[in-house]
Amino acid sequence: SGNPSSSLAANANGMTDDEVRAEMDVPAVEATRSYRAWLVLEDGREFTYNQRYVKGREGHDWLLKKNIWRRMRYRRMNKRMVERMKAETGIMSPSPV
């Protein structure tokens, strides 16, 4: 999966590839529209998801999964934080009309 030292070096969010691998919800990542679109591309075709990936290029499948997971993780964490803040302040979600 790319550079051998990549599992040792921390990435932008401070996690190593091994830590990301251990935490990643792989079925959720693979079920995304983006990843499913990537799967059906022919080798050599470009795919853009925040950056360009080339289908069939070594390491690009992992890089895309990692990027999708980073976004999913951020959204999940934010959702939990908002729910916690609502609970702490007593703010309720508006009721449907």
Side-chain angles (χ1 to χ4, degrees), residues 4 6 11-12 15 24-25 32 34 36 41 51 57 63 65 67-68 75 83 88:
S6 67
N11 59 30
M15 298 176 72
M24 184 184 294
D25 183 347
T32 61
S34 295
R36 290 193 320 261
L41 284 181
Q51 64 188 51
R57 188 168 290 172
L63 291 172
K65 281 183 177 179
N67 202 341
I68 292 170
R75 288 179 176 164
E83 292 303 318
E88 289 171 359

Side-chain angles (χ1 to χ4, degrees), residues 73-83:
R73 181 177 185 268
Y74 175 80
R75 288 179 176 164
R76 288 177 178 188
M77 289 172 61
N78 277 350
K79 186 176 182 178
R80 283 193 297 264
M81 182 176 60
V82 168
E83 292 303 318

